[in-house]
Amino acid sequence: MVSSIALLVCAGLAAAQTFPADLVGTWSSKSNSTLTGSGFYDPVNEKFTEPAHTGISYSFTADGHYEEAYYRAIANPQNPKCPQGIMQWQHGSFTKEANGSLVMAPIAVDGRQLYSDPCAYKSAIFTRYNASEMFKRYEVLTDGYRQITRLNLYKFDGSPLIPLYLAMSPPQMLPTTTLNPLTTSTPGGAKATSKVRRSELPLNHNVFEKRTPQMQRADNVWWFGVFLTTSGGVLYFLY
Ligand SMILES: *[C@@H]1O[C@H](CO)[C@@H](O)[C@H](O)[C@H]1NC(C)=O
Ligand SMILES: *[C@@H]1O[C@H](CO)[C@@H](O)[C@H](O)[C@H]1NC(C)=O
Ligand SMILES: *[C@@H]1O[C@H](CO)[C@@H](O)[C@H](O)[C@H]1NC(C)=O
């Protein structure tokens, strides 16, 4: 009897996973203007806000939740007037595996992407976005020169993501629960509020990075058919 209680206690402890405390916070790439939270993606109005500069941001909580924000522009050397811009947002849960890897599991129905290719499409294209990620390893260190806490994430193939710096702690995040399943399509209820100022997408040389092995095979973007267009604004692809 005593030993079975002890076993139950042990099982309980083993199930209570711990998450790395050194990851907790909101991290952002050098420009520090792309940050997770409602300032990037507004789930109530289905709207992205374009940060002042391209960049990426990750937030981690002490209880295993994460959120990520990516804003990138892709220069088009053949036609500099045709830069493509992309904003991606996801959140979900993560685990640190015994081998040191971080396995990120997004809430598939919540991820969103806004893609702008002004020379190919009149409107920016708003879709769902779902891409699980695995970071082979990570390290948190103090950047010697800037004396700022720095996070190096290494992708599944061992190549480094651009360095991230601690921007805020505790993290700035949207609620970590499922936000917006969008399972009912009510065209009248759609919010066509977002206007992407495509001409202002900055040109830089941040090319798309292959984030997961899966993404080498397929872009995990969900297409649900044209749902609504707004004049010169955003094309929404929903159910
Ligand atoms: C989300 O993407 C993962 C792989 O990245 C896939 O296993 C999963 O089935 C996807 N979920 C949905 C609902 O498409
Ligand atoms: C570490 O373990 C996880 C879970 O078993 C696995 O998905 C991941 O591929 C492993 N990482 C490496 C670098 O092999
Ligand atoms: C980054 O931006 C956040 C929010 O505006 C600010 O609190 C933080 O001090 C900034 N970090 C750096 C290193 O500039």
Side-chain angles (χ1 to χ4, degrees):
M1 188 60 197
V2 169
S3 66
S4 70
I5 290 170
L7 274 175
L8 281 174
V9 169
C10 284
L13 284 175
Q17 230 187 321
T18 58
F19 298 96
D22 57 355
L23 277 176
V24 173
T26 293
W27 305 83
S28 182
S29 51
K30 206 165 184 175
S31 72
N32 196 38
S33 58
T34 297
L35 296 164
T36 56
S38 58
F40 184 79
Y41 167 59
D42 167 0
V44 176
N45 295 303
E46 288 292 353
K47 186 184 160 190
F48 277 107
T49 302
E50 191 180 333
H53 302 283
T54 54
I56 68 178
S57 175
Y58 278 85
S59 286
F60 299 92
T61 69
D63 60 351
H65 299 284
Y66 81 100
E67 182 177 326
E68 65 181 60
Y70 275 66
Y71 173 36
R72 285 176 290 179
I74 304 156
N76 181 347
Q78 272 79 48
N79 189 347
K81 288 202 184 76
C82 291
Q84 296 164 312
I86 194 156
M87 295 174 75
Q88 291 166 330
W89 182 92
Q90 287 195 125
H91 72 168
S93 54
F94 76 96
T95 53
K96 183 181 177 181
E97 303 296 329
N99 60 15
S101 293
L102 298 176
V103 175
M104 325 286 283
I107 299 172
V109 292
D110 276 357
R112 296 290 185 273
Q113 171 175 286
L114 186 67
Y115 173 71
S116 164
D117 184 354
C119 297
Y121 307 100
K122 257 182 77 181
S123 303
I125 297 167
F126 189 83
T127 57
R128 287 192 179 171
Y129 176 72
N130 162 44
S132 55
E133 287 170 287
M134 197 270 281
F135 291 108
K136 194 172 182 177
R137 65 187 182 93
Y138 77 92
E139 58 197 5
V140 173
L141 38 96
T142 302
D143 193 82
Y145 174 66
R146 304 209 303 160
Q147 289 292 303
I148 292 173
T149 309
R150 168 174 166 168
L151 169 65
N152 293 332
L153 291 167
Y154 295 89
K155 290 183 274 187
F156 66 94
D157 61 358
S159 62
L161 203 71
I162 55 172
L164 302 177
Y165 300 92
L166 189 61
M168 275 166 281
S169 191
Q172 170 186 278
M173 299 169 77
L174 283 160
T176 55
T177 47
T178 301
L179 292 175
N180 209 346
L182 278 178
T183 46
T184 54
S185 66
T186 49
K191 304 281 196 302
T193 49
S194 178
K195 277 236 171 13
V196 175
R197 290 133 88 195
R198 293 184 300 272
S199 57
E200 288 174 21
L201 282 175
L203 269 177
N204 73 10
H205 302 283
N206 263 349
V207 292
F208 281 108
E209 291 165 84
K210 296 215 163 42
R211 287 161 70 183
T212 64
Q214 291 83 9
M215 286 190 76
Q216 292 179 328
R217 293 194 294 272
D219 225 21
N220 284 317
V221 173
W222 295 9
W223 298 88
F224 288 94
V226 178
F227 171 65
L228 177 80
T229 67
T230 68
S231 52
V234 175
L235 267 177
Y236 286 82
F237 286 80
L238 304 173
Y239 277 114

mmCIF file of all heavy atoms in Angstrom, residues 63-87:
data_model
loop_
_atom_site.group_PDB
_atom_site.id
_atom_site.type_symbol
_atom_site.label_atom_id
_atom_site.label_comp_id
_atom_site.label_asym_id
_atom_site.label_seq_id
_atom_site.Cartn_x
_atom_site.Cartn_y
_atom_site.Cartn_z
ATOM 1 N N ASP A 63 5.534 27.990 -18.257
ATOM 2 C CA ASP A 63 4.709 26.775 -18.222
ATOM 3 C C ASP A 63 4.500 26.177 -19.614
ATOM 4 O O ASP A 63 3.494 25.521 -19.878
ATOM 5 C CB ASP A 63 3.380 27.039 -17.511
ATOM 6 C CG ASP A 63 2.549 28.122 -18.203
ATOM 7 O OD1 ASP A 63 3.065 28.781 -19.125
ATOM 8 O OD2 ASP A 63 1.387 28.293 -17.811
ATOM 9 N N GLY A 64 5.438 26.401 -20.522
ATOM 10 C CA GLY A 64 5.442 25.631 -21.764
ATOM 11 C C GLY A 64 4.668 26.204 -22.931
ATOM 12 O O GLY A 64 4.360 25.485 -23.874
ATOM 13 N N HIS A 65 4.345 27.496 -22.898
ATOM 14 C CA HIS A 65 3.680 28.120 -24.044
ATOM 15 C C HIS A 65 4.672 28.999 -24.799
ATOM 16 O O HIS A 65 5.593 29.548 -24.211
ATOM 17 C CB HIS A 65 2.493 28.969 -23.595
ATOM 18 C CG HIS A 65 1.437 28.179 -22.899
ATOM 19 N ND1 HIS A 65 0.546 27.360 -23.578
ATOM 20 C CD2 HIS A 65 1.144 28.054 -21.591
ATOM 21 C CE1 HIS A 65 -0.254 26.772 -22.708
ATOM 22 N NE2 HIS A 65 0.081 27.172 -21.496
ATOM 23 N N TYR A 66 4.436 29.129 -26.106
ATOM 24 C CA TYR A 66 5.281 30.021 -26.886
ATOM 25 C C TYR A 66 4.425 30.781 -27.887
ATOM 26 O O TYR A 66 3.281 30.405 -28.174
ATOM 27 C CB TYR A 66 6.391 29.248 -27.623
ATOM 28 C CG TYR A 66 5.923 28.602 -28.912
ATOM 29 C CD1 TYR A 66 6.172 29.205 -30.143
ATOM 30 C CD2 TYR A 66 5.198 27.414 -28.892
ATOM 31 C CE1 TYR A 66 5.728 28.631 -31.332
ATOM 32 C CE2 TYR A 66 4.747 26.839 -30.079
ATOM 33 C CZ TYR A 66 5.019 27.458 -31.288
ATOM 34 O OH TYR A 66 4.561 26.897 -32.457
ATOM 35 N N GLU A 67 4.992 31.847 -28.408
ATOM 36 C CA GLU A 67 4.347 32.632 -29.460
ATOM 37 C C GLU A 67 5.464 33.140 -30.364
ATOM 38 O O GLU A 67 6.560 33.433 -29.893
ATOM 39 C CB GLU A 67 3.589 33.803 -28.827
ATOM 40 C CG GLU A 67 2.834 34.665 -29.831
ATOM 41 C CD GLU A 67 2.024 35.786 -29.152
ATOM 42 O OE1 GLU A 67 1.506 35.583 -28.027
ATOM 43 O OE2 GLU A 67 1.944 36.859 -29.752
ATOM 44 N N GLU A 68 5.195 33.218 -31.648
ATOM 45 C CA GLU A 68 6.230 33.721 -32.556
ATOM 46 C C GLU A 68 5.641 34.700 -33.553
ATOM 47 O O GLU A 68 4.477 34.598 -33.936
ATOM 48 C CB GLU A 68 6.907 32.561 -33.291
ATOM 49 C CG GLU A 68 5.971 31.812 -34.213
ATOM 50 C CD GLU A 68 6.663 30.646 -34.929
ATOM 51 O OE1 GLU A 68 7.152 29.747 -34.227
ATOM 52 O OE2 GLU A 68 6.696 30.655 -36.163
ATOM 53 N N ALA A 69 6.445 35.672 -33.952
ATOM 54 C CA ALA A 69 6.052 36.684 -34.932
ATOM 55 C C ALA A 69 7.204 36.842 -35.913
ATOM 56 O O ALA A 69 8.342 37.055 -35.504
ATOM 57 C CB ALA A 69 5.766 38.016 -34.223
ATOM 58 N N TYR A 70 6.890 36.709 -37.197
ATOM 59 C CA TYR A 70 7.899 36.868 -38.246
ATOM 60 C C TYR A 70 7.435 37.956 -39.199
ATOM 61 O O TYR A 70 6.298 37.928 -39.661
ATOM 62 C CB TYR A 70 8.056 35.570 -39.069
ATOM 63 C CG TYR A 70 8.990 34.534 -38.500
ATOM 64 C CD1 TYR A 70 8.693 33.882 -37.306
ATOM 65 C CD2 TYR A 70 10.156 34.189 -39.177
ATOM 66 C CE1 TYR A 70 9.553 32.900 -36.806
ATOM 67 C CE2 TYR A 70 11.018 33.204 -38.679
ATOM 68 C CZ TYR A 70 10.705 32.569 -37.487
ATOM 69 O OH TYR A 70 11.548 31.607 -37.001
ATOM 70 N N TYR A 71 8.309 38.874 -39.488
ATOM 71 C CA TYR A 71 8.013 39.875 -40.514
ATOM 72 C C TYR A 71 9.236 39.967 -41.408
ATOM 73 O O TYR A 71 10.295 40.385 -40.970
ATOM 74 C CB TYR A 71 7.698 41.220 -39.879
ATOM 75 C CG TYR A 71 7.539 42.345 -40.881
ATOM 76 C CD1 TYR A 71 6.945 42.116 -42.119
ATOM 77 C CD2 TYR A 71 7.961 43.625 -40.583
ATOM 78 C CE1 TYR A 71 6.801 43.139 -43.035
ATOM 79 C CE2 TYR A 71 7.820 44.662 -41.490
ATOM 80 C CZ TYR A 71 7.244 44.410 -42.717
ATOM 81 O OH TYR A 71 7.113 45.418 -43.629
ATOM 82 N N ARG A 72 9.072 39.538 -42.637
ATOM 83 C CA ARG A 72 10.213 39.541 -43.544
ATOM 84 C C ARG A 72 9.836 40.105 -44.897
ATOM 85 O O ARG A 72 8.696 40.034 -45.327
ATOM 86 C CB ARG A 72 10.750 38.110 -43.700
ATOM 87 C CG ARG A 72 11.512 37.686 -42.455
ATOM 88 C CD ARG A 72 11.957 36.269 -42.545
ATOM 89 N NE ARG A 72 10.834 35.366 -42.449
ATOM 90 C CZ ARG A 72 10.959 34.052 -42.523
ATOM 91 N NH1 ARG A 72 12.125 33.512 -42.711
ATOM 92 N NH2 ARG A 72 9.896 33.280 -42.409
ATOM 93 N N ALA A 73 10.816 40.672 -45.522
ATOM 94 C CA ALA A 73 10.647 41.167 -46.888
ATOM 95 C C ALA A 73 11.675 40.459 -47.738
ATOM 96 O O ALA A 73 12.762 40.127 -47.271
ATOM 97 C CB ALA A 73 10.848 42.670 -46.934
ATOM 98 N N ILE A 74 11.304 40.209 -48.967
ATOM 99 C CA ILE A 74 12.216 39.521 -49.874
ATOM 100 C C ILE A 74 12.493 40.441 -51.049
ATOM 101 O O ILE A 74 11.585 40.796 -51.796
ATOM 102 C CB ILE A 74 11.600 38.199 -50.363
ATOM 103 C CG1 ILE A 74 11.244 37.344 -49.148
ATOM 104 C CG2 ILE A 74 12.554 37.471 -51.290
ATOM 105 C CD1 ILE A 74 10.180 36.359 -49.440
ATOM 106 N N ALA A 75 13.722 40.830 -51.170
ATOM 107 C CA ALA A 75 14.095 41.712 -52.265
ATOM 108 C C ALA A 75 13.970 40.970 -53.590
ATOM 109 O O ALA A 75 14.151 39.756 -53.656
ATOM 110 C CB ALA A 75 15.515 42.201 -52.074
ATOM 111 N N ASN A 76 13.642 41.704 -54.606
ATOM 112 C CA ASN A 76 13.574 41.128 -55.947
ATOM 113 C C ASN A 76 14.581 41.885 -56.816
ATOM 114 O O ASN A 76 14.289 42.961 -57.320
ATOM 115 C CB ASN A 76 12.142 41.268 -56.489
ATOM 116 C CG ASN A 76 11.993 40.668 -57.876
ATOM 117 O OD1 ASN A 76 12.982 40.369 -58.540
ATOM 118 N ND2 ASN A 76 10.759 40.487 -58.300
ATOM 119 N N PRO A 77 15.797 41.341 -56.955
ATOM 120 C CA PRO A 77 16.853 42.077 -57.672
ATOM 121 C C PRO A 77 16.461 42.382 -59.118
ATOM 122 O O PRO A 77 16.857 43.417 -59.649
ATOM 123 C CB PRO A 77 18.059 41.131 -57.623
ATOM 124 C CG PRO A 77 17.727 40.117 -56.587
ATOM 125 C CD PRO A 77 16.237 40.028 -56.515
ATOM 126 N N GLN A 78 15.667 41.491 -59.738
ATOM 127 C CA GLN A 78 15.257 41.729 -61.126
ATOM 128 C C GLN A 78 14.328 42.932 -61.220
ATOM 129 O O GLN A 78 14.327 43.642 -62.199
ATOM 130 C CB GLN A 78 14.515 40.499 -61.710
ATOM 131 C CG GLN A 78 15.442 39.485 -62.352
ATOM 132 C CD GLN A 78 16.114 38.619 -61.290
ATOM 133 O OE1 GLN A 78 15.428 38.115 -60.409
ATOM 134 N NE2 GLN A 78 17.427 38.462 -61.356
ATOM 135 N N ASN A 79 13.521 43.079 -60.217
ATOM 136 C CA ASN A 79 12.573 44.184 -60.229
ATOM 137 C C ASN A 79 12.441 44.746 -58.815
ATOM 138 O O ASN A 79 11.603 44.314 -58.033
ATOM 139 C CB ASN A 79 11.214 43.701 -60.753
ATOM 140 C CG ASN A 79 10.269 44.870 -60.981
ATOM 141 O OD1 ASN A 79 10.531 45.991 -60.537
ATOM 142 N ND2 ASN A 79 9.166 44.612 -61.651
ATOM 143 N N PRO A 80 13.294 45.712 -58.489
ATOM 144 C CA PRO A 80 13.303 46.230 -57.112
ATOM 145 C C PRO A 80 11.967 46.796 -56.681
ATOM 146 O O PRO A 80 11.715 46.973 -55.496
ATOM 147 C CB PRO A 80 14.371 47.326 -57.154
ATOM 148 C CG PRO A 80 15.180 47.043 -58.377
ATOM 149 C CD PRO A 80 14.258 46.369 -59.358
ATOM 150 N N LYS A 81 11.087 47.066 -57.648
ATOM 151 C CA LYS A 81 9.772 47.592 -57.270
ATOM 152 C C LYS A 81 8.852 46.471 -56.792
ATOM 153 O O LYS A 81 7.722 46.733 -56.411
ATOM 154 C CB LYS A 81 9.122 48.298 -58.463
ATOM 155 C CG LYS A 81 9.775 49.624 -58.803
ATOM 156 C CD LYS A 81 8.792 50.488 -59.578
ATOM 157 C CE LYS A 81 9.403 51.793 -60.049
ATOM 158 N NZ LYS A 81 10.302 51.595 -61.224
ATOM 159 N N CYS A 82 9.317 45.234 -56.863
ATOM 160 C CA CYS A 82 8.461 44.100 -56.529
ATOM 161 C C CYS A 82 8.957 43.288 -55.329
ATOM 162 O O CYS A 82 9.125 42.077 -55.425
ATOM 163 C CB CYS A 82 8.318 43.174 -57.727
ATOM 164 S SG CYS A 82 7.356 43.882 -59.068
ATOM 165 N N PRO A 83 9.172 43.928 -54.198
ATOM 166 C CA PRO A 83 9.567 43.126 -53.033
ATOM 167 C C PRO A 83 8.356 42.360 -52.515
ATOM 168 O O PRO A 83 7.222 42.852 -52.585
ATOM 169 C CB PRO A 83 10.008 44.177 -52.021
ATOM 170 C CG PRO A 83 9.157 45.362 -52.345
ATOM 171 C CD PRO A 83 8.969 45.332 -53.853
ATOM 172 N N GLN A 84 8.582 41.151 -52.057
ATOM 173 C CA GLN A 84 7.508 40.406 -51.415
ATOM 174 C C GLN A 84 7.642 40.582 -49.905
ATOM 175 O O GLN A 84 8.758 40.617 -49.394
ATOM 176 C CB GLN A 84 7.611 38.926 -51.765
ATOM 177 C CG GLN A 84 7.414 38.653 -53.245
ATOM 178 C CD GLN A 84 7.903 37.282 -53.625
ATOM 179 O OE1 GLN A 84 9.009 36.879 -53.273
ATOM 180 N NE2 GLN A 84 7.092 36.542 -54.342
ATOM 181 N N GLY A 85 6.528 40.687 -49.250
ATOM 182 C CA GLY A 85 6.556 40.836 -47.802
ATOM 183 C C GLY A 85 5.716 39.749 -47.169
ATOM 184 O O GLY A 85 4.733 39.293 -47.749
ATOM 185 N N ILE A 86 6.113 39.319 -45.981
ATOM 186 C CA ILE A 86 5.357 38.264 -45.328
ATOM 187 C C ILE A 86 5.349 38.502 -43.825
ATOM 188 O O ILE A 86 6.365 38.884 -43.248
ATOM 189 C CB ILE A 86 5.948 36.879 -45.696
ATOM 190 C CG1 ILE A 86 4.998 35.767 -45.316
ATOM 191 C CG2 ILE A 86 7.316 36.664 -45.113
ATOM 192 C CD1 ILE A 86 5.216 34.508 -46.121
ATOM 193 N N MET A 87 4.154 38.340 -43.251
ATOM 194 C CA MET A 87 4.021 38.400 -41.794
ATOM 195 C C MET A 87 3.393 37.077 -41.357
ATOM 196 O O MET A 87 2.407 36.639 -41.952
ATOM 197 C CB MET A 87 3.135 39.579 -41.380
ATOM 198 C CG MET A 87 3.764 40.927 -41.729
ATOM 199 S SD MET A 87 2.671 42.332 -41.418
ATOM 200 C CE MET A 87 2.753 42.426 -39.630
#
